[in-house]
Amino acid sequence: MEPVPPPAEELARLDRELVELDARRAQLLTRRAWLLAALRPPAPAPAPGWDPSAWGAPPGAPAQPWGHALGGRPAAPRSAQNVLLTLGGLLLTVAAVAFTLVSWGSMGIGGRAAVLSVVTLAALIAPAVLLRRGLTATAEALTALALALTLLDAYAVHAVAAPDADGLGFTAAACAVLAALWTAYGLALGKVRLPLPAAVVLAQWPLLFWAWAAGAPTLVVGWALLATAVTDGVVALRGRGLGVRITAALGGSALGLSALLVGLVLSVTASGPLGALAPGALLLAAAALAGAWHAPKGFATAGGLVAGLAAVAAVGGVPAAAVPATWSVLAYLLCGLALTGVVRTRLPRDAARGVLVASAAVAAGALVGALPSVVAVVLGPVTLLEDVWAGAPDGFRSALGATPPWPESDAAPVVLALTAGLLGAGYRWWPSLVRIAAPLTAREPGAPGAPETAAPGAGAPGGLPPYGPGAPGHAVGGAGGRGGPSGAALRGSAGAGAVVLGWGALLVAGAVLDVPYALAVVAETLLVAGLLALAVRGGGSDRAGSAAVPVTALVVAVAGAVSAGLLSLASEGASYAVFGALTALFAGAAVRAGAGVPRAVLAVAAVVWGTALTGFAGRSLELAPYEAAPLLLLAPALTVGLGARLRRDPVALPVELAGVPGALVAVGLAVSDAPFLALTLALCGVLAAGAAVRPERRPVAGLLAAGLFVLAAWVRLAASEVSLVEAYTLPVTVPALVVGFLRRREDPEASSWTAYGPGLAATLLPSLAVAWTDPDWPRPLLLGAAALVITLLGAHHRLQALLVLGGAVLAVDGLHELAPYVVQVAGALPRWLPPALAGLLLLVVGATYEQRLRDARRLRDALGRMR
């Protein structure tokens, strides 16, 4: 042990150690300061004219601007000044309002006039003085106060000098006077921006308030709004300053739209053609104002759109008031279509485009109004599913169920037919239409995709101008002529729209006319035939845009076939006739279809109609649902045969898959009767096995066939009340072992677990589970014998799966048989004997551990070498 030193010596030692620690601490602090200085970014250079030492800072200290003295960002002097001036102006305005409203009554008429006059005059004069001194922001604040005081002056004049005057009339006069004064004041000051926009705001109200004060009719109010909007338009085009123009444009837009709304309401609610003339004049005047033909591009297009819609409402409102309400939409549609003549006028390009958009909008609105009628005709026969073959109704409408009142749809067929005819004409004569519309679709210089401007004669041979009919980027080539992709898409859209609308027009016409039921069924079926012919013939055409027409015709044909099929469900004869005709039509179209039409859709549709046709047979024969199930397998059987016939044709797979829903429906119908369900599953298995004959279908169809056969056998056994588990498992095990044997013969290197494992486990494991609880001896004995045979075969042929599965089942089965005797022996032995035997076994194993380990390794290697 170390001896303890005397206190004096220990104290001296502690003092020396403390001194050393202080020295070390100082060294570490110095090093730390150096590291911090090395990591700190360099200080910015001092600003010119700034000397830190002159203000008490140490020499070499970094310069800091005034705004950073407290660690914050420098404040913007102008922003702070504007905030202070704005707050000051607001406070003065609030004080003036409070004085006028609260303290006004305590002063005489002279005092009131003197106070308001002096304060208002001072507020109006002060900005001029401030502007001469360069204090623009302060002048703006006082200008706002002055404007507010003039409003208070007007209120005071009405309250004291003219209390009996009409409020609306006085407000109109005050707004007009103040607008004029503010305009003069703003023009006089020049640099102050607030008075002129404020004058524009006040100028919106005089005419409107005067009309209301005079009790003028609504039409006069509309004209007052329009007149104010015209004034705003002039100011917006020729006003002084951006703020004035924006304010006038916003005000004019709001008042102009209000005038249009007034005219539209009056035109729609007019009692006759004469009553619609005056609102029509208002709408035409608004249209002329909205045209803004020489406005910038975006505004001109919007103006053309509004002008076109207003012109349609004005002109169409007169004949619409003379015809029944159901036909008024046709009057507006005709006027809207007439707007397309703008392509022959000299209107500016952007405005003409807006007019064309208005024409399209009117047509779209008319079509939206006719859409419910088309939906009612197409989906109306769904109600017949509630009572199939209840009897043919008297007329077409009776078969459509609960639908909207058809008299309100009188004009729907005409609207649909007219629009379809125009779209069809556009599709047919598309090149001529492109040439006519070329001035509206040509690209402008500088636009994306347009060529750069060149000198005359430099852009094309012969001195053609760069933006003439033969110039690059012209409408024929750049915006959708014969060769342009966008033009092809537009042409295809026109053709597709013509097909859809023409089909809808014919359907709705039959419902509006309430044709006989038989005629409706025949007509819908013939329409499907026509659409299929168009789809098949159109698929081979090379004309631009024609690809959309056959595809649309095919889609509409499928929809029409569904509608016709539903409609035929009212009568048994009609159902057979329609579904038979649909099956033949779609099958024939699938055979004749060209490369441009999806033949698979036609083939699948034919299979669906044929499946429905076989389903009708069971109902006609008055069979129970489960008895009619096998009949539904006729269509799937036909698809399997067609698939084998078509082989590698791309349509083969869709046709075969189309038969699957029919098989599923057949299985669903047979579920209520086990014997028929087993028969149906077996027949489905036969069909799957037939498809599995082909090598390309074998991987999927083979497994499906095996599963269906096994499932059919199990259902049949269950229906016969067979409870023996081996009756269910052996039909799986035997084919599986055969398949495994064939696979091992073709591929000797295949694993025995893959070849024989599933088949053996399918019977051994369920039988072992049942045998473990079986009190009788035959099942365990047979199971043990089978397991012994399997084990011996596995050992002889060196098959790991047979050896392991057979040995494991044999061991567990033997344990089950020996368990009662082991229990009896264990009960007869002394209590000390089992622990002693266990201890002896452990000693033997421990003594021969190395040998046992080598034996286990040899066993593992032997099993590993097996397949």
Side-chain angles (χ1 to χ4, degrees):
M1 295 180 62
E2 183 180 358
V4 178
E9 183 180 353
E10 183 178 3
L11 179 61
R13 183 185 299 176
L14 290 176
D15 290 338
R16 286 195 301 272
E17 291 179 357
L18 289 174
V19 171
E20 292 175 358
L21 288 175
D22 290 338
R24 179 60 178 168
R25 184 174 185 273
Q27 182 182 2
L28 294 175
L29 289 175
T30 303
R31 180 62 179 174
R32 180 178 182 275
W34 185 88
L35 292 174
L36 290 176
L39 295 175
R40 184 179 297 114
W50 166 256
D51 186 6
S53 60
W55 294 88
Q64 294 181 347
W66 286 101
H68 289 271
L70 299 179
R73 297 182 62 183
R78 298 292 296 175
S79 300
Q81 180 186 18
N82 292 336
V83 171
L84 294 176
L85 292 174
T86 303
L87 290 177
L90 289 176
L91 291 176
L92 290 176
T93 303
V94 170
V97 172
F99 170 78
T100 304
L101 297 178
V102 178
S103 302
W104 185 261
S106 62
M107 301 180 63
I109 185 65
R112 301 171 188 174
V115 170
L116 277 179
S117 299
V118 171
V119 173
T120 303
L121 185 61
L124 290 174
I125 294 174
V129 178
L130 294 172
L131 287 176
R132 284 197 298 269
R133 295 176 177 267
L135 302 176
T136 306
T138 307
E140 289 280 1
L142 288 181
T143 301
L145 175 62
L147 297 179
L149 289 175
T150 56
L151 294 176
L152 294 177
D153 288 338
Y155 168 76
V157 169
H158 179 265
V160 176
D164 298 330
D166 179 65
L168 287 175
F170 184 85
T171 303
C175 288
V177 173
L178 289 178
L181 292 177
W182 288 4
T183 301
Y185 184 70
L187 293 175
L189 291 180
K191 295 183 179 181
V192 180
R193 294 172 294 180
L194 183 60
L196 292 179
V200 173
V201 172
L202 276 184
Q204 309 300 310
W205 308 107
L207 290 179
L208 180 61
F209 286 159
W210 272 327
W212 281 352
T218 307
L219 184 62
V220 176
V221 174
W223 281 106
L225 293 171
L226 185 60
T228 307
V230 171
T231 305
D232 288 331
V234 175
V235 175
L237 292 176
R238 301 183 179 275
R240 177 179 176 181
L242 182 61
V244 174
R245 294 186 177 185
I246 293 177
T247 305
L250 293 177
S253 300
L255 294 182
L257 292 177
S258 300
L260 283 173
L261 182 61
V262 170
L264 179 62
V265 172
L266 294 177
S267 177
V268 172
T269 58
S271 57
L274 295 179
L277 289 176
L282 175 61
L283 289 171
L284 287 177
L289 172 64
W293 311 119
H294 297 286
K297 180 177 180 180
F299 295 99
T301 303
L305 171 62
V306 175
L309 294 176
V312 170
V315 179
V318 177
V323 299
T326 57
W327 291 91
S328 59
V329 64
L330 186 60
Y332 291 109
L333 176 61
L334 293 174
C335 293
L337 296 177
L339 292 179
T340 56
V342 73
V343 298
R344 289 293 191 179
T345 64
R346 295 183 177 273
L347 287 179
R349 176 188 304 169
D350 297 323
R353 288 174 177 173
V355 175
L356 290 179
V357 173
S359 176
V362 173
L367 292 177
V368 169
L371 182 62
S373 302
V374 179
V375 174
V377 175
V378 175
L379 301 182
V382 174
T383 57
L384 296 176
L385 291 174
E386 300 175 357
D387 191 7
V388 178
W389 295 355
D394 295 334
F396 190 14
R397 294 184 191 175
S398 301
L400 300 179
T403 54
W406 288 107
E408 298 181 2
S409 305
D410 289 346
V414 182
V415 170
L416 293 170
L418 181 60
T419 311
L422 291 177
L423 290 177
Y427 175 78
R428 175 63 180 81
W429 291 289
W430 183 259
S432 300
L433 182 62
V434 169
R435 286 194 297 271
I436 294 173
L440 300 182
T441 57
R443 291 190 178 100
E444 297 179 354
E452 297 182 359
T453 305
L464 288 176
Y467 297 104
H474 194 260
V476 174
R482 290 184 176 183
S486 59
L490 289 174
R491 182 179 187 180
S493 300
V499 171
V500 176
L501 296 179
W503 170 71
L506 294 175
L507 289 183
V508 177
V512 170
L513 298 175
D514 196 17
V515 299
Y517 170 76
L519 179 59
V521 172
V522 173
E524 288 206 20
T525 308
L526 292 177
L527 278 177
V528 174
L531 290 169
L532 289 176
L534 179 60
V536 172
R537 293 182 180 179
S541 178
D542 293 329
R543 290 182 302 176
S546 62
V549 175
V551 174
T552 303
L554 176 58
V555 174
V556 177
V558 173
V562 172
S563 179
L566 292 173
L567 186 64
S568 68
L569 295 179
S571 171
E572 181 178 4
S575 298
Y576 278 105
V578 170
F579 278 88
L582 292 178
T583 303
L585 288 173
F586 277 88
V591 174
R592 297 292 302 275
V597 179
R599 297 172 56 223
V601 176
L602 295 167
V604 169
V607 173
V608 172
W609 312 139
T611 304
L613 196 61
T614 58
F616 294 151
R619 185 178 179 88
S620 298
L621 296 174
E622 298 182 356
L623 300 177
Y626 62 87
E627 293 175 337
L631 292 176
L632 286 175
L633 296 179
L634 292 176
L638 181 61
T639 61
V640 173
L642 286 175
R645 180 73 173 82
L646 296 172
R647 302 295 294 176
R648 299 291 183 178
D649 194 291
V651 182
L653 181 59
V655 167
E656 293 180 80
L657 293 178
V660 175
L664 294 177
V665 173
V667 172
L669 292 176
V671 166
S672 59
D673 187 84
F676 268 90
L677 178 59
L679 174 62
T680 304
L681 291 172
L683 293 175
C684 291
V686 172
L687 296 179
V693 173
R694 299 161 56 195
E696 65 272 14
R697 301 285 187 263
R698 189 170 301 159
V700 176
L703 295 176
L704 180 61
L708 288 172
F709 282 133
V710 171
L711 189 58
W714 287 356
V715 172
R716 181 66 261 184
L717 291 171
S720 301
E721 299 181 356
V722 175
S723 59
L724 190 64
V725 67
E726 287 75 13
Y728 293 88
T729 58
L730 286 176
V732 178
T733 295
V734 174
L737 292 178
V738 172
V739 172
F741 175 76
L742 295 176
R743 179 175 181 182
R744 286 272 300 172
R745 189 170 64 177
E746 294 180 359
D747 183 14
E749 298 298 325
S751 172
S752 61
W753 287 103
T754 304
Y756 302 119
L760 292 175
T763 294
L764 291 178
L765 298 182
S767 297
L768 180 62
V770 175
W772 190 261
T773 59
D774 192 349
D776 297 329
W777 61 270
R779 183 189 299 273
L781 178 60
L782 294 175
L783 178 61
L788 178 60
V789 173
I790 292 172
T791 304
L792 294 176
L793 288 174
H796 177 71
H797 295 286
R798 305 182 61 81
L799 297 176
Q800 189 181 105
L802 276 67
L803 181 61
V804 173
L805 283 175
V809 172
L810 181 60
V812 176
D813 187 62
L815 179 62
H816 171 265
E817 293 303 310
L818 294 176
Y821 302 103
V822 173
V823 171
Q824 292 178 4
V825 172
L829 292 176
R831 296 295 180 91
W832 56 268
L833 187 57
L837 294 176
L840 181 61
L841 178 62
L842 292 176
L843 288 175
V844 173
V845 172
T848 60
Y849 175 76
E850 294 296 336
Q851 182 63 34
R852 302 285 79 79
L853 186 60
R854 286 193 294 270
D855 294 341
R857 289 173 178 172
R858 283 197 296 270
L859 177 61
R860 182 194 63 184
D861 295 338
L863 288 175
R865 287 192 295 269
M866 293 182 179
R867 299 303 298 174

